[in-house]
Amino acid sequence: MREITEETAIDLGLKKEEYSKICELLNRIPNITELAIFSAMWNEHCSYKSSRRHLKKLHTKGKQVIQGPGENAGVIDIGDEDAIVFKIESHNHPSFIEPYQGAATGVGGIMRDVFTMGARPIANLNSIHFGSPQHKKTKNLLRGVVKGIGGYGNCIGVPTIAGQTLFDESYNGNILVNAMTLGLVNKNRIFYSKAAGINKPVIYVGSKTGRDGIHGASMASATFDDKIEEKKPTVQVGDPFTEKLLLEACLELMADNSIIAIQDMGAAGLTSSSVEMASKGNLGIELNLNKVPCREENMSPYEIMLSESQERMLIVLESGKEDYAKKIFDKWNLDFSVIGKTTDSKQIEIIFNNLKVAEIPIDLLAENAPVYDRKWKKTKLPQKLKFNKDNFKSLSLSNCLKKILNNPNISDKKWIWDQYDHTVMGDTIQKPGGDSGVVRVHGTKKAIAASVDSSASYCFSHPISGGKQIVCESWRNLISVGAKPIAITNCLNFGNPEKEKNMGEFVECVDGITEASKFLDFPVVSGNVSFYNETKDKGIKPTPTIGGVGLIKDYENMITMDFKKINNIVYVIGKTEGHLDQSIFARDVLNEKKGPPPSVNLFNEKNIGTTILKLIENKLIVSCHDVSLGGILTAVSKMCISGKKGLKINSLKGLTNKYEYFFGEDQARYIVEIPKDNILKVVEMLNNNSVHYDDLGIIQEKNLTFKGDINLPIEELSDAHKYWLKEYMSN
């Protein structure tokens, strides 16, 4: 029997004081299996011990919210008995260690979270962040992650409809891979993870358990050092074909009234799934590990409980339904085993070789897990930069625009999208490259829009403003395709929470997200926190990622960003002040990285957004695109490229600095295309709603032109936009 010491606990990722607390709560020294269970359930990834008290502030209620945070995924009502189940989750550490499998199992894991609730997955999205393109690891990490996302999603047959890919040197030592899935379910047939009833059979289904992924959850709650290669065994190995079988088998069983509770074996595997189900039901659970299907010989209780082998589920069945359920899983060629039962003990009891090898009160692992009130430091709003004429005198609008279009964070990501199947299932009606991806709700006129967004530079500069901005960006991206925003999911990626600055960034980003989502009635229904994203004491910029979901009641009202017709008029909706601080222009052209992010006016966001929706619903505009990174000229260029049409830009009125106007990143703005016959109606609606607008120009045949400063053929714009990533990955 292995001797348990304080050092043993530390090796498992526990703190000294946590080990002491465990011994005190148990009134004894735990054995190695029990200690491993505590280490899994008390790590940051499972317990949210540093974030829990702050996450309570999030706005989570709404008229269409069926299920908010606390389940495998959030659920919203979209009418006609239909509901959408969705969530975003991180798989950062595994993807940095082993990019293909890390990214692949991230996709597999988030899909299980969705179909665990009875929903058939209908769309995938992703938000991936890499280090500087010049860093020696970046290209291989990018290639591996993209192949992993595509490899898993394509094989299981779920379209990848949207995403984002960004680069920043802060991710050199810790990339981010955030995966999101949407599923469709009948709102009366939603399944939950709360166990109920005594002596109900506990069922293990799916793949066999192996030694891959052991300590995966603990690894996700630790920083990296020089020994990163040694952590490869903690990365799970996925099999999308088995997941497809598991999906179909689970959905078949769900059609009958056999399931009481169901839980994916994700982080911390059998440990977390069993404890969470029992905890939610205020029950105990007894497991016989000799009955767990294993693919490797002589696996110990410790290994079985902590394995994160993929494509596995834990189910609490109604009594007497075992044979019925087994037939279904046998048909799909999946493992099925009754491995335990629910009890009234309120403990987890582990049996192995006819011996009780663990016995722990459930509440010590779940509700009574540590909650820390960590010290945090407030970030001051940086002083606004002062730009003068000397900053701009040697510049050319055309050259600046082409440089920005070629920026890694602006450039066309077609090389990535082409590796994802975005048309499988036949319901994708807006593919990657627009403001949001859109899929039809099969057999109806409804469509669901979804987007993922993040803005690390804004959040790093001023976390509260950045948190608000990223919610608003999600809001605008949904509106830009004609969808009414309903709810969001968030993936909160930060550095070490034990550092006051990092913890402060987290707290203030959450505050910003809360303020914006409440004002916009855009609640958070699910999410994930990923801390300790750092290597050798150097952390990432704060990167909250927002996944937004909206409804288009009639998909024929969906709108796209491409310019449609010669002689149509183009307006900028929303006021332009010319905010350059923290813009792509300031960072890439002026080499200036200081200053505050653009301010966020939530009233304007809501008012302008709802007005844009009215314009779309009344068919008064024919294309729309929000203004974000790169400002007006960048947004217009993308619309020109997409529609293969030019734009003659009018002379500017009331603004002396054209660079500030064209490249400023002021918020709450959209570019819209208006047929001439609709101008009076559009102006009337804008005026009635007190919405500012600029008459930007008129669509023309071939070139983007502005006085004598810009005269660029669409082909040249397109080449500048498409060049960087294609060239980067070809070398």
Side-chain angles (χ1 to χ4, degrees):
M1 182 72 71
R2 180 176 173 182
E3 184 184 0
I4 304 301
T5 64
E6 192 175 82
E7 285 68 32
T8 314
I10 293 169
D11 287 344
L12 290 175
L14 291 161
K15 307 289 186 187
K16 288 182 182 179
E17 58 273 21
E18 290 174 343
Y19 174 66
S20 297
K21 185 70 175 176
I22 291 167
C23 294
E24 180 187 326
L25 290 169
L26 291 176
N27 200 28
R28 59 181 172 84
I29 295 173
N31 62 40
I32 188 62
T33 302
E34 292 171 328
L35 190 61
I37 290 170
F38 271 104
S39 76
M41 295 306 300
W42 282 22
N43 70 59
E44 198 74 59
H45 195 76
C46 293
S47 73
Y48 291 79
K49 58 191 177 186
S50 297
S51 59
R52 202 186 307 180
R53 64 174 60 244
H54 300 287
L55 295 176
K56 290 177 180 178
K57 296 181 288 187
L58 289 171
H59 173 61
T60 61
K61 306 287 186 186
K63 288 182 181 178
Q64 291 171 262
V65 176
I66 296 173
Q67 175 64 53
E71 265 295 339
N72 286 294
V75 189
I76 55 173
D77 190 339
I78 60 166
D80 308 310
E81 306 297 309
D82 293 323
I84 295 295
V85 179
F86 67 103
K87 186 183 181 184
I88 190 169
E89 197 162 64
S90 64
H91 228 223
N92 304 334
H93 288 60
S95 299
F96 187 61
I97 298 167
E98 215 300 303
Y100 182 94
Q101 289 296 349
T105 52
V107 173
I110 195 63
M111 280 198 283
R112 286 195 302 279
D113 281 341
V114 167
F115 74 74
T116 296
M117 299 193 71
R120 180 172 290 280
I122 59 171
N124 288 330
L125 301 89
N126 58 78
S127 173
I128 51 181
H129 294 68
F130 299 91
S132 164
Q134 288 74 45
H135 191 270
K136 61 183 181 181
K137 287 188 175 182
T138 297
K139 191 180 295 184
N140 284 335
L141 287 168
L142 173 60
R143 184 175 283 113
V145 165
V146 170
K147 283 185 177 179
I149 292 170
Y152 206 102
N154 295 354
C155 289
I156 203 170
V158 177
T160 299
I161 63 167
Q164 67 168 176
T165 304
L166 296 172
F167 301 85
D168 186 275
E169 63 183 7
S170 78
Y171 308 111
N172 283 350
N174 201 122
I175 65 173
L176 303 183
V177 175
N178 296 174
M180 177 176 171
T181 293
L182 285 71
L184 179 67
V185 68
N186 182 302
K187 70 179 184 182
N188 300 311
R189 299 292 298 168
I190 300 168
F191 289 81
Y192 298 96
S193 58
K194 179 181 176 181
I198 307 300
N199 289 322
K200 300 295 183 182
V202 176
I203 312 301
Y204 173 116
V205 298
S207 291
K208 287 181 168 62
T209 295
R211 290 187 170 94
D212 56 311
I214 293 174
H215 296 304
S218 299
M219 177 268 295
S221 303
T223 58
F224 288 144
D225 53 30
D226 289 326
K227 298 180 179 178
I228 185 174
E229 291 297 315
E230 295 176 10
K231 298 183 185 289
K232 280 192 176 182
T234 64
V235 179
Q236 310 92 331
V237 178
D239 179 355
F241 300 106
T242 299
E243 176 126 334
K244 174 64 173 173
L245 299 177
L246 183 61
L247 162 66
E248 299 299 341
C250 286
L251 292 181
E252 184 175 339
L253 182 60
M254 287 168 172
D256 181 73
N257 294 319
S258 300
I259 296 176
I260 296 172
I262 180 168
Q263 178 72 43
D264 161 42
M265 289 192 224
L270 187 54
T271 291
S272 64
S273 56
S274 57
V275 170
E276 287 173 13
M277 286 203 299
S279 174
K280 289 175 181 176
N282 196 29
L283 296 171
I285 191 166
E286 180 184 293
L287 302 176
N288 186 338
L289 300 190
N290 294 104
K291 295 184 178 181
V292 173
C294 294
R295 65 170 180 263
E296 299 184 49
E297 293 182 359
N298 301 318
M299 289 189 69
S300 68
Y302 172 103
E303 293 171 322
I304 295 169
M305 291 301 295
L306 263 68
S307 169
E308 293 183 15
S309 294
Q310 297 291 284
E311 295 87 37
R312 302 179 301 158
M313 292 280 187
L314 199 65
I315 300 172
V316 178
L317 275 184
E318 289 286 1
S319 300
K321 292 287 187 176
E322 297 92 327
D323 290 343
Y324 172 78
K326 186 175 186 305
K327 284 178 183 177
I328 291 174
F329 285 92
D330 285 348
K331 183 181 77 174
W332 291 100
N333 199 30
L334 294 166
D335 279 289
F336 176 100
S337 180
V338 181
I339 67 167
K341 62 183 180 181
T342 59
T343 70
D344 60 1
S345 69
K346 297 185 180 181
Q347 299 190 108
I348 181 169
E349 299 168 274
I350 310 295
I351 311 298
F352 186 70
N353 291 342
N354 296 317
L355 297 173
K356 188 175 288 186
V357 295
E359 186 175 17
I360 307 170
I362 293 287
D363 62 356
L364 302 188
L365 298 168
E367 293 303 313
N368 291 337
V371 177
Y372 294 127
D373 187 9
R374 298 206 184 272
K375 293 181 179 178
W376 59 277
K377 187 181 293 183
K378 192 177 180 65
T379 301
K380 292 182 181 177
L381 183 68
Q383 193 171 359
K384 201 170 188 311
L385 299 174
K386 293 180 180 178
F387 298 99
N388 55 52
K389 290 181 180 179
D390 291 340
N391 292 111
F392 309 104
K393 67 181 180 180
S394 63
L395 301 178
S396 139
L397 272 179
S398 291
N399 289 339
C400 289
L401 175 59
K402 288 192 287 185
K403 185 173 184 178
I404 288 171
L405 289 173
N406 197 44
N407 179 285
N409 290 331
I410 299 290
S411 69
D412 183 72
K413 303 301 189 299
K414 191 172 184 297
W415 180 88
I416 295 172
W417 305 326
D418 281 350
Q419 297 182 61
Y420 305 151
D421 190 337
H422 40 258
T423 60
V424 65
M425 299 179 77
D427 284 316
T428 305
I429 55 175
Q430 190 155 170
K431 301 173 185 177
D435 289 288
S436 298
V438 184
V439 290
R440 292 178 298 200
V441 178
H442 200 78
T444 77
K445 296 291 288 184
K446 296 181 294 192
I448 301 298
S451 71
V452 284
D453 300 283
S454 66
S455 184
S457 294
Y458 289 177
C459 291
F460 181 70
S461 173
H462 193 236
I464 288 181
S465 300
K468 288 193 284 189
Q469 186 275 334
I470 204 60
V471 174
C472 294
E473 174 70 11
S474 179
W475 166 269
R476 291 196 299 272
N477 279 335
L478 296 172
I479 284 172
S480 295
V481 300
K484 180 183 183 295
I486 297 176
I488 59 178
T489 180
N490 60 34
C491 193
L492 307 176
N493 308 277
F494 291 81
N496 185 346
E498 297 166 50
K499 297 177 179 178
E500 291 183 22
K501 184 178 185 300
N502 292 347
M503 193 66 207
E505 290 169 343
F506 173 80
V507 172
E508 294 191 293
C509 276
V510 169
D511 287 345
I513 291 168
T514 301
E515 185 180 346
S517 65
K518 192 170 186 176
F519 192 93
L520 298 173
D521 192 20
F522 200 25
V524 179
V525 298
S526 60
N528 164 240
V529 177
S530 176
F531 278 135
Y532 297 98
N533 289 289
E534 62 179 57
T535 296
K536 296 181 182 177
D537 211 38
K538 189 170 183 179
I540 64 166
K541 287 179 179 176
T543 312
T545 300
I546 299 294
V549 178
L551 174 66
I552 305 172
K553 288 184 178 179
D554 184 343
Y555 60 73
E556 291 185 2
N557 290 336
M558 182 190 75
I559 198 167
T560 57
M561 64 186 282
D562 51 298
F563 283 147
K564 303 297 188 300
K565 191 176 180 181
I566 307 299
N567 292 325
N568 279 352
I569 305 300
V570 175
Y571 278 10
V572 180
I573 309 296
K575 192 167 179 60
T576 299
E577 302 285 354
H579 186 98
L580 287 182
D581 299 48
Q582 294 300 325
S583 67
I584 288 281
F585 177 83
R587 296 198 300 273
D588 203 29
V589 177
L590 302 180
N591 198 30
E592 181 56 75
K593 298 179 181 179
K594 297 179 180 177
S599 62
V600 176
N601 184 313
L602 293 173
F603 176 83
N604 285 346
E605 288 284 2
K606 191 170 189 175
N607 183 45
I608 295 170
T610 52
T611 304
I612 293 287
L613 270 185
K614 288 176 185 174
L615 292 172
I616 295 171
E617 288 165 0
N618 287 282
K619 301 186 184 298
L620 295 175
I621 61 177
V622 294
S623 65
C624 181
H625 182 37
D626 83 305
V627 181
S628 55
L629 290 181
I632 287 172
L633 263 189
T634 303
V636 162
S637 296
K638 290 181 180 180
M639 297 174 85
C640 288
I641 294 166
S642 186
K644 298 180 179 169
K645 292 177 179 62
L647 179 70
K648 182 181 180 182
I649 300 176
N650 300 327
S651 298
L652 303 182
K653 297 176 183 177
L655 282 166
T656 57
N657 191 313
K658 57 194 176 186
Y659 292 95
E660 290 179 344
Y661 183 81
F662 283 131
F663 296 119
E665 294 181 7
D666 307 280
Q667 300 295 288
R669 295 182 299 161
Y670 302 78
I671 309 290
V672 300
E673 176 188 353
I674 312 164
K676 284 186 175 180
D677 291 347
N678 295 346
I679 289 291
L680 291 177
K681 290 180 180 177
V682 169
V683 169
E684 182 183 15
M685 190 175 289
L686 294 172
N687 288 335
N688 287 342
N689 288 281
S690 302
V691 172
H692 181 92
Y693 63 92
D694 296 331
D695 183 352
L696 186 65
I698 186 168
I699 295 175
Q700 59 186 8
E701 186 68 37
K702 293 181 179 179
N703 291 16
L704 175 65
T705 60
F706 173 66
K707 297 170 58 175
D709 290 329
I710 303 175
N711 188 11
L712 291 171
I714 303 306
E715 291 79 10
E716 194 169 339
L717 288 174
S718 183
D719 288 345
H721 190 224
K722 293 177 180 177
Y723 176 79
W724 181 80
L725 186 59
K726 187 177 177 182
E727 183 68 15
Y728 180 68
M729 296 310 298
S730 66
N731 295 324

